[in-house]
């Protein structure tokens, strides 16, 4: 008694009400209900965009209790009213006639009969089913009349249906419909509705193999009553009676388990309708299972898939991991976990360079052995091509050009731009990552990376579709909430983070991707629709990425092991790209990006170098480039030569008549670039020899390949020997030149054609000098030391 009256009296005292008998009862009646009738924790329930259930998590108290219903199905309402409270819509919260009949029955017979209305039962449920004494009944009636005043009849019915126990740890009609029939409550048949209507009256009946006959008789009596009342016709009644009873509880749907678990953490106890497209999600689950079965043969046990709608930035598909089992961490939601980015940031650098006019889409960039402050990046195949179009450097994911371009662009500048793109996982200073940032030295999540690719596509779409303007907030976070709209803010004319022209040119290069890290026997991924895509592989073969965008969709795929174990062959192209293209084939057609003509300008470019054409470029072509491409310099690799009449030898005015000279434009690469370029470009023509008697006035015909300037030569740790072999390498523009080598002015040998000299040398500081057969001389200092020396 005390627990009921005390808070009521306190409320009355708080309002300084003078209490008489009637006044006291009135005050007690007014304040007898708590503000929230039920405070039990609810299960987290997740629906797809069409409202269908795709997952749920049990409430904190161990009960399956879905959040409160907004309404209950008509069939169940008719069943429960006829079974529990036929005069529900007429009484004020209690039914005197039912109470009198129950008292008479209980006094004259051994069995017990209840006279409680549905409203009284709601009160009893809210008071945690206190003992059924007459005094408790009086309290229930008292509170039930107040409940009738505070809530409508429909609301009271919803409270009853949402909080009634249905046996075991099942609470509420919606939960019972899923657990016992595997369908939502609004799809319940008459037989199913009748079964659930009688079950709360005796929840122990639900145990399989026990009391089935009693359960069946109670349900059928209710169905017969429904027929007698004219609610069911004869055919419907017979069909309902023939329906089987619920047996073992059904498992709840778990179509997107990792997203459901994420929602349980972020929105506990809520019913969340997501943007997930159920048919697509089911297809992704099948694809994930199929590819997992293939990958596990190489002991690759985890993968993840994320599909975003580019325009709305909503999540359409979410596969957080494979079905590999707990031993391989299948419970880990890979989509939200930071992993080494591999090469997935390279398109952002490429677009940045294009946007600011540092390069044009096909400008040649250097791909030669590179050492920067001890950092020695390597291409995947450990080969070099000397000079390569920047678009091809991106499409083949060449590491050395990427590092050299990042140094040229500026590490801090690029780092700042990534932060503007909302890559918040880069939480350390740029110096922490260094130039390896572009090769996977940083970590990010599939969620962030896919979102950033989607933002680039959205920027391009909005520019083309909205009168050549940009939205200031394109790089917004994705959402899995169906009703949440990203805040792109108002249109603006200020410069964007990346221009549409640069993004389009980047996507064009990514569309032409074949086999980024492979050899010349490329495997072409074919698809029914075009996609701009990029792969990535982290150091040690621990992470395989494949990310792609179309005008409508952004797809992110990751494969690897959740515990970070690397595996041979775990590359983006072999482990992630096939799954990416299978996902693409599961999506509707979305075409290709339209050209943003307002952010492109036509320029004349050199066909060989990809730079803006200079006066010395013989073969040129018109090309649309990003607007700021006009800032780029002219072709640096074409120059004018003067040849003799036969056009076989170079000449100058000191040795040849001016009137007989032939001026000719020539494509000339610096010695080191030429050294590697010729191996993969047989059409490259080296500079002609000088005519006998004509001297060379050039200084840069040779260049050291090893050692580079300011680069120390490290010998293996001393194992008892006093000297070690060192291979010195030189690039010479003349293919048949003879080069003489000197160490501290002491002649040590000569080389022809291929300029590599093996020397047996002791640690120390030396002056290395080379002289070719035409008298060209080059010299540099060289330090040689043991690897164990400081």
């Amino acid at each position: 008694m005390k627990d009921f009256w005390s808070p009521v009296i306190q409320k009355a005292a708080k309002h300084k009400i003078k209490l008489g008998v009637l006044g006291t009862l009135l005050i007690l009646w007014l304040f007898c209900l708590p503000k929230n009738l039920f405070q039990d924790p609810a299960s987290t329930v997740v629906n797809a965009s069409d409202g269908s259930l795709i997952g749920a998590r049990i409430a904190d108290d161990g009960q399956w209790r879905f959040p409160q219903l907004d309404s209950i199905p008509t069939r169940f309402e008719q069943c429960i009213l006829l079974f529990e409270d036929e005069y529900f819509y007429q009484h004020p919260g209690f039914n005197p006639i039912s109470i009198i009949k129950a008292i008479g029955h209980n006094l004259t017979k051994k069995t017990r009969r209840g006279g409680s209305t549905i409203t009284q039962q709601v009160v009893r449920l809210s008071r945690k089913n206190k003992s059924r004494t007459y005094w408790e009944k009086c309290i229930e009636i008292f509170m039930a009349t107040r409940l009738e005043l505070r809530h409508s009849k429909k609301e009271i019915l919803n409270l009853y249906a949402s909080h009634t126990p249905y046996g075991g740890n099942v609470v509420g009609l919606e939960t019972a419909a899923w657990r016992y029939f595997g369908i939502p409550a609004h799809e319940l048949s008459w037989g199913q509705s009748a079964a659930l209507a009688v079950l709360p009256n005796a929840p122990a009946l639900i145990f399989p193999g026990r009391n089935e006959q009693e359960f069946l008789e109670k349900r059928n009596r209710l169905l017969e009553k429904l027929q007698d009342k004219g609610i069911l016709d004869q055919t419907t009644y017979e069909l309902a009676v023939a329906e089987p009873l619920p047996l073992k509880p059904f498992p709840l749907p778990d179509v997107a388990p990792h997203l459901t678990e994420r929602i349980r953490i972020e929105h506990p106890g809520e019913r969340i309708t997501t943007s997930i497209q159920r048919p697509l999600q089911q297809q992704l689950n099948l694809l994930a299972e199929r590819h997992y079965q293939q990958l596990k043969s190489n002991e690759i046990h985890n993968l993840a898939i994320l599909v975003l709608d580019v325009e709305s930035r909503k999540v359409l598909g979410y596969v957080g991991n494979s079905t590999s089992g707990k031993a391989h961490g299948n419970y880990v939601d890979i989509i939200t976990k930071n992993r080494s980015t591999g090469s997935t940031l390279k398109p952002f650098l490429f677009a940045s360079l294009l946007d600011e006019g540092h390069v044009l889409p096909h400008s040649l960039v250097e791909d030669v052995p590179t050492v920067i402050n001890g950092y020695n990046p390597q291409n995947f195949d450990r080969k070099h091509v000397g000079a390569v179009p920047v678009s091809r450097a991106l499409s083949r994911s060449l590491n050395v050009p990427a590092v050299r371009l990042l140094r040229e662009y500026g590490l801090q500048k690029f780092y700042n731009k990534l932060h503007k793109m909302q890559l918040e996982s880069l939480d350390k200073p740029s110096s922490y990552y260094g130039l390896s940032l572009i090769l996977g030295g940083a970590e990010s999540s599939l969620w962030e990376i896919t979102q950033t690719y989607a933002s680039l596509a959205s920027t391009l779409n909005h520019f083309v579709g909205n009168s050549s303007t940009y939205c200031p907030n394109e790089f917004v976070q994705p959402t899995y909430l169906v009703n949440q709209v990203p805040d792109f803010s108002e249109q603006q004319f200020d410069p964007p983070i990346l221009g549409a022209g640069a993004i389009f040119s980047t996507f064009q290069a990514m569309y032409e991707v074949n086999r980024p890290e492979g050899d010349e026997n490329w495997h072409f991924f074919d698809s029914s629709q075009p996609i701009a895509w990029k792969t990535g592989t982290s150091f040690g073969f621990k992470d395989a990425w494949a990310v792609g965008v179309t005008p409508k969709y952004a797809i992110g795929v990751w494969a690897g092991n959740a515990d970070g174990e690397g595996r041979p062959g775990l590359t983006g192209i072999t482990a992630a790209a096939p799954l990416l293209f299978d996902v693409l084939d599961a999506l509707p057609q979305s075409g290709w990006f339209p050209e943003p003509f307002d952010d492109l300008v036509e320029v004349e470019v050199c066909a060989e170098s990809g730079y803006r054409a200079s006066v010395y470029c013989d073969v040129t072509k018109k090309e649309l480039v990003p607007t700021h491409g006009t800032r780029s310099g002219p072709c640096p690799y074409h120059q004018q030569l003067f040849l003799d009449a036969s056009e076989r030898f170079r000449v100058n005015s000191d040795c040849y008549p001016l009137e007989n000279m032939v001026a000719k434009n020539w494509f000339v690469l610096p010695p080191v670039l030429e050294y590697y370029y010729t191996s993969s470009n047989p059409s490259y023509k080296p500079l002609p020899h000088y005519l006998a008697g004509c001297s060379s006035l050039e200084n840069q015909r040779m260049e050291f390949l090893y050692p580079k300037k300011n680069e120390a030569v490290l010998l293996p740790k001393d194992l008892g020997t006093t000297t070690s072999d060192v291979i010195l390498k030189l690039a010479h523009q003349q293919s048949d030149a003879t080069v003489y080598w000197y160490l501290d002015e002491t002649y040590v040998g000569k080389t022809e054609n291929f300029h590599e000299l093996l020397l047996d040398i002791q640690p120390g500081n030396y002056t290395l000098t080379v002289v070719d057969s035409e008298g060209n001389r080059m010299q540099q200092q060289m330090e040689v030391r043991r690897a164990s020396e400081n």
Side-chain angles (χ1 to χ4, degrees):
M1 269 176 51
K2 184 176 180 182
D3 67 319
F4 170 70
W5 298 114
S6 296
V8 179
I9 295 172
Q10 289 173 3
K11 289 181 181 179
K14 182 178 179 182
H15 290 78
K16 299 181 180 178
I17 300 173
K18 294 182 180 180
L19 303 177
V21 175
L22 292 178
T24 299
L25 290 175
L26 177 61
I27 296 304
L28 292 174
W29 184 78
L30 287 173
F31 292 100
C32 66
L33 291 179
K35 183 178 180 180
N36 296 315
L37 202 60
F38 294 93
Q39 297 184 357
D40 301 311
S43 300
T44 303
V45 177
V46 180
N47 294 331
S49 57
D50 60 2
S52 62
L53 181 68
I54 59 173
R57 292 295 179 266
I58 201 165
D60 291 341
D61 62 354
Q63 302 293 305
W64 283 109
R65 184 187 298 106
F66 282 16
Q68 186 170 313
L69 294 167
D70 295 326
S71 62
I72 62 173
T74 302
R75 288 174 181 168
F76 179 79
E77 180 180 350
Q78 291 178 303
C79 289
I80 196 66
L81 292 182
L82 200 58
F83 184 75
E84 289 283 1
D85 193 352
E86 193 171 353
Y87 300 97
F88 174 71
Y89 284 104
Q90 287 77 46
H91 63 65
F94 66 97
N95 188 333
I97 296 176
S98 295
I99 293 174
I100 293 171
K101 287 182 178 179
I103 293 174
H105 177 90
N106 294 338
L107 290 175
T108 57
K109 297 183 180 180
K110 294 181 179 181
T111 59
R112 285 287 178 264
R113 173 179 173 176
S116 297
T117 62
I118 286 178
T119 311
Q120 288 176 257
Q121 292 184 53
V122 170
V123 171
R124 184 171 73 248
L125 290 170
S126 71
R127 289 170 57 76
K128 304 303 178 188
N129 292 314
K130 292 184 177 292
S131 58
R132 297 189 179 188
T133 63
Y134 287 109
W135 175 248
E136 184 62 30
K137 285 291 182 184
C138 292
I139 294 175
E140 288 176 6
I141 293 172
F142 190 78
M143 297 178 72
T145 57
R146 180 68 182 91
L147 186 64
E148 290 276 347
L149 183 67
R150 195 168 86 175
H151 293 283
S152 68
K153 289 286 187 178
K154 289 290 186 183
E155 290 172 340
I156 294 172
L157 206 55
N158 289 346
L159 286 170
Y160 173 82
S162 299
H163 296 279
T164 301
Y166 281 87
N169 63 346
V170 178
V171 178
L173 172 64
E174 184 71 13
T175 318
W178 279 107
R179 290 293 281 161
Y180 297 138
F181 297 107
I183 57 174
H186 68 269
E187 294 181 9
L188 291 172
S189 65
W190 280 108
Q192 293 166 338
S193 298
L196 293 184
V198 304
L199 190 56
N201 186 259
L205 297 178
I206 197 61
F207 288 100
R210 292 170 49 191
N211 308 314
E212 291 182 21
Q213 188 59 37
E214 183 182 353
F215 190 7
L216 182 65
E217 290 173 359
K218 292 186 73 170
R219 185 202 68 173
N220 291 348
R221 281 198 298 270
L222 175 56
L223 290 171
E224 187 177 353
K225 194 173 181 181
L226 288 166
Q227 184 191 31
D228 294 342
K229 293 287 185 179
I231 299 174
L232 301 183
D233 57 34
Q234 182 63 31
T235 302
T236 304
Y237 166 74
E238 291 175 358
L239 290 172
V241 169
E243 291 182 38
L245 293 174
L247 298 174
K248 185 178 180 180
F250 285 84
L252 292 172
D254 206 12
V255 180
H258 295 89
L259 179 61
T260 300
E261 185 62 20
R262 178 174 176 176
I263 292 174
R264 182 193 68 80
I265 296 171
E266 297 177 0
H267 303 276
E270 297 182 37
R271 185 190 301 271
I272 298 296
T273 299
T274 68
S275 52
I276 293 292
Q277 295 181 355
R278 187 187 185 96
L280 174 62
Q281 180 67 33
Q282 291 173 324
Q283 281 185 284
L284 297 184
N285 290 344
L286 293 174
L287 290 174
E289 177 62 23
R290 191 176 82 201
H291 281 265
Y292 162 65
Q293 294 300 330
Q294 296 171 359
L295 291 171
K296 73 176 183 180
S297 62
N298 190 26
E299 297 185 21
I300 301 170
H301 299 287
N302 305 102
L303 57 81
I305 308 170
L306 179 64
V307 179
L308 301 179
D309 181 277
V310 164
E311 289 306 306
S312 66
R313 225 58 53 82
K314 286 184 167 54
V315 177
L316 305 180
Y318 194 109
V319 179
N321 210 327
S322 64
T323 57
S324 56
K326 290 185 178 180
H328 298 292
N330 72 317
Y331 50 85
V332 177
D333 184 359
I334 298 292
I335 288 176
T336 61
K337 300 300 182 290
N338 289 336
R339 308 287 301 203
S340 170
T341 54
S343 298
T344 57
L345 303 185
K346 287 178 181 175
F348 310 149
L349 176 61
F350 181 77
S352 300
L353 290 162
L354 289 173
D355 191 46
E356 298 181 25
H358 291 279
V359 296
L360 297 183
H362 305 293
S363 298
L364 288 179
V365 294
E366 297 182 14
D367 179 23
V368 295
T370 301
V371 178
I372 304 172
N373 296 325
Y375 177 50
N376 181 21
Q378 297 287 337
N379 292 327
F380 187 85
D381 59 6
R382 297 190 173 273
K383 297 178 181 179
H384 302 278
V385 294
V388 60
V390 66
S391 57
R392 185 168 171 82
L394 174 65
S395 68
R396 293 202 63 195
S397 199
L398 298 177
N399 293 335
V400 173
V403 170
R404 297 179 71 98
L405 288 170
L406 178 57
R407 181 177 62 169
E408 176 186 332
Y409 183 77
L411 173 62
Q412 185 63 47
K413 184 179 178 182
F414 182 60
Y415 173 85
N416 293 341
K417 181 157 286 191
L418 292 178
H419 268 277
K420 290 180 181 178
M421 296 180 187
Q422 304 300 315
L423 283 169
E424 298 175 355
S425 57
L426 302 179
D427 55 0
K428 296 178 175 62
S430 61
S431 58
Y432 175 84
Y433 304 108
L435 295 176
S436 67
L437 170 68
I438 200 65
L439 305 184
E443 291 186 342
S444 188
S445 65
L446 191 63
W447 180 264
E448 278 192 345
I449 293 295
T450 311
Q451 165 248 315
T452 308
Y453 276 75
S455 297
L456 294 182
S458 180
T459 297
L460 182 54
N461 287 342
H462 286 173
F463 181 86
V464 174
N466 294 333
S467 305
S468 303
T469 58
Y470 293 94
C471 293
N473 195 26
E474 284 290 1
F475 291 86
V476 298
Q477 286 291 323
T479 178
Y480 50 71
L481 301 175
V482 71
N483 294 322
Q484 183 171 318
V485 179
D487 180 18
F488 293 109
S489 302
E490 298 298 324
Q491 292 182 353
Q492 65 172 13
F493 292 90
D494 297 331
I497 297 174
L498 288 171
I503 295 172
F504 179 78
S505 298
T506 302
F507 284 174
Q508 281 289 96
M510 294 167 64
Y511 174 49
E512 296 167 3
V513 168
N514 294 310
R515 189 176 180 83
E517 296 96 351
D519 55 23
E520 294 304 320
N521 298 315
W522 289 357
H523 168 73
F524 291 85
F525 286 99
D526 190 19
S527 177
S528 57
Q529 58 179 315
I531 184 173
W533 62 291
K534 183 74 186 72
T535 60
T537 305
S538 68
F539 180 77
F541 302 102
K542 297 179 180 180
D543 304 275
W545 298 76
V547 189
V549 285
T550 72
K552 292 183 180 179
Y553 306 105
I555 309 167
V557 171
W558 178 93
N561 288 308
D563 61 4
E565 179 187 358
R567 294 296 305 164
L570 177 57
T571 65
I573 198 70
T574 58
L579 178 53
L580 170 77
F581 277 85
D582 281 348
V583 172
L584 178 65
D585 288 340
L587 294 170
Q589 287 284 333
S590 58
W592 184 242
F593 298 93
E595 289 186 281
F597 292 108
D598 289 346
D599 203 41
L600 295 171
V601 62
E602 188 177 68
V603 299
E604 189 173 15
V605 301
C606 174
E608 279 190 282
S609 71
Y611 283 83
R612 283 197 306 113
S614 71
V615 294
Y616 302 121
C617 294
D618 291 331
V619 182
T620 64
K621 59 182 180 179
K622 298 289 186 180
E623 190 173 276
L624 287 173
V625 303
T627 304
H628 291 158
T630 54
R631 300 175 181 175
S632 64
C635 174
Y637 298 125
H638 276 88
Q639 62 187 51
Q640 191 176 59
L641 304 181
F642 292 97
L643 306 178
D644 67 348
S646 69
E647 299 186 8
R648 294 174 54 203
F649 299 99
R650 279 188 288 169
V651 296
N652 54 50
S653 58
D654 293 335
C655 65
Y656 200 79
L658 288 174
E659 65 272 15
N660 294 333
M661 289 184 185
V662 178
K664 193 157 187 176
N665 297 328
W666 208 276
F667 180 60
V668 184
L669 292 174
V672 173
L673 272 66
E674 182 186 78
Y675 177 82
Y676 292 99
Y677 188 79
T678 53
S679 63
S680 55
N681 294 272
S683 61
Y684 178 80
K685 294 180 180 180
L687 284 171
H689 290 283
Y690 274 95
L691 186 66
C694 292
S695 62
S696 169
L697 301 178
E698 301 172 28
N699 294 320
Q700 291 299 320
R701 302 196 66 194
M702 300 180 289
E703 188 170 342
F704 285 111
L705 297 176
Y706 183 80
K708 289 283 189 181
K709 189 176 181 180
N710 300 322
E711 178 185 4
V713 176
L714 296 180
L715 302 178
K717 188 175 180 181
D718 187 2
L719 298 177
T721 60
T722 57
T723 60
S724 296
D725 290 336
V726 174
I727 299 178
L728 306 179
K729 296 183 181 181
L730 177 80
H732 198 292
Q733 285 187 324
Q734 200 65 52
S735 60
D736 57 354
T738 300
V739 175
Y740 302 91
W741 298 72
Y742 298 84
L743 201 62
D744 287 343
E745 303 302 327
T746 300
Y747 174 74
V748 292
K750 72 174 182 178
T751 55
E752 297 177 354
N753 299 324
F754 297 100
H755 304 291
E756 297 184 1
L757 182 67
L758 179 65
L759 282 184
D760 193 8
I761 194 169
Q762 295 182 359
N765 294 313
Y766 301 90
T767 299
L768 181 62
T769 306
V770 290
V771 181
D772 68 7
S773 53
E774 296 183 0
N776 294 298
R777 178 186 177 92
M778 186 171 63
Q779 189 175 78
Q780 83 175 27
Q781 298 301 310
M782 179 177 70
E783 178 190 3
V784 180
R785 67 170 186 257
R786 295 284 178 194
S788 58
E789 296 176 5
N790 295 325

